[in-house]
Amino acid sequence: MSGTPRLLLTFCDDSTLIFAVRLRALLRAAAPEAEITLGCYLPEQALSLRQLEMLVPEADYVLFNRETLIEAVQAGLYDAVLTSRVFRALANFLRTPALKHLRHRTQVISFLGGLDFFPERGYANRMPCDGVFLFPQSDTRKFAAWAREQAAIDSNVTAPLVDFGHPTFLAPTLTPPEDLDTRRDIYFFAQAISPLTRRGRLHVLEAMVALAEANPDRQVWIKLRHLPDENTRHLHRERHDYPGLLKAAFPEAPANLRLTACPMDEATEQAALGITCTSTAAIDLIREGVPTMVYLDYVDAYMDPMSAAMRRLFEGSGVITSLDDLLHLRTRAPEPDWVAQMFCPRDLGQRVLAMVAALQDRAASASG
Amino acid sequence: MLARLKATLLGKWLYRLSRHDIFGAPLRWLLDLGVAEQLDPAHWKVANRQHNARQAATLAAFRTRAGGAGQ
């Protein structure tokens, strides 16, 4: 890479912003001189003011619409766009041979959005990108082989460079947090659409009520992904929000059962134990060395495609937990083999920069 | 139901359309109206009913033992 790396990290909602902020921290550590810009993509903007203030308090981002994003990529204003969502405009740009081949344009590197429950559907979206970061490790080989096949049968396609990793999926710390033994709080990490049904969510809520009743000396927190009036532009927005259900079904819930919408990092720093159904929070907890339970046997789980998909992803992890074990707070450590497949080495920032440099070299040699 | 929809090409298309400035809001409203989760035929499968009954019974037994079943 010639000179200081100029990188654009795009976002449009809470998950893409969390990704961008985490990747920015890794890149800053790997290359303090890099010029890193956060870019809010307005056509798909779904963040509330509270979420923006919480996740990016410096408000140091720039705004893009379809045209300005494409202009920036076309003019090569950045060395690379790093994104966990391949916006339609960007994908269309990269599918156009005359634009894809353009000398000095910005390279586009995509990451997964989070736990990918249906990875095969994401392959086609990522194929037009110049570089792709995936996980689990086995998927990098699968995708690379698939991409080579596509490139062999379509002369308009170039197989992207492929590497392993995601800023949320960094290898867990080898030692648990120093204060873990003194922590008391139990966190349940809610997800917008899983459990899917009202009955399923009431069941999970009742399990949290039961935990609070059985452990009056501990705080049981329901960590909300967002407040009920947020993320309303999502099709999969929360229909049965926990604050509403708690008020309606458990008006006399114990006082040590509480709701919070605090940042994820704050929750993982406080938690003695984290419980979730299908949330990526399970990954955050394992990464930070916090005992983790993934509960998938909730009522109406058969209605929820994410339950079966989560079970596939976490098969062999050791953290899928029965209701009885959950209620008795019986945890298991994650299996090392599974962890090695799912979590990437902590040098992700350096590897991203190396891929940007490799892509620039590839583009330079392709355009002669 | 929306999550199940999203597992299809149609669902992905609807997901994108739901963010549209003009069509987004009415589409989300229509889809909400169409959701009748309690009428889903999956609830009638014996295995599914047994699963739900088992989980509910485990939870009820725990609350009874812990002496907190007050709801």
Side-chain angles (χ1 to χ4, degrees), chain A residues 44 85 88 121 196 198 206 213 232-233 235-237 239-240 250 295 297-298 300 302, chain B residues 1-2 4 6-7 15-16 19 28 31-32 35 37 43 48 51-52 55 62-63 68 71:
Chain A
E44 298 195 20
R85 184 166 300 165
R88 173 65 64 90
R121 279 193 270 125
L196 188 61
R198 185 174 194 275
E206 188 178 356
E213 287 168 347
T232 53
R233 293 189 70 202
L235 186 64
H236 61 286
R237 72 190 191 281
R239 268 200 326 281
H240 309 298
F250 303 98
Y295 175 52
D297 289 330
Y298 42 84
D300 287 355
Y302 52 84
Chain B
M1 185 168 288
L2 300 184
R4 298 165 91 187
K6 200 165 176 266
Y15 179 71
R16 282 188 187 281
R19 294 175 171 205
R28 291 193 299 272
L31 285 169
D32 270 359
V35 172
E37 60 191 31
H43 292 312
N48 291 343
H51 165 82
N52 283 352
Q55 298 307 306
F62 177 82
R63 294 191 75 194
Q71 303 302 327

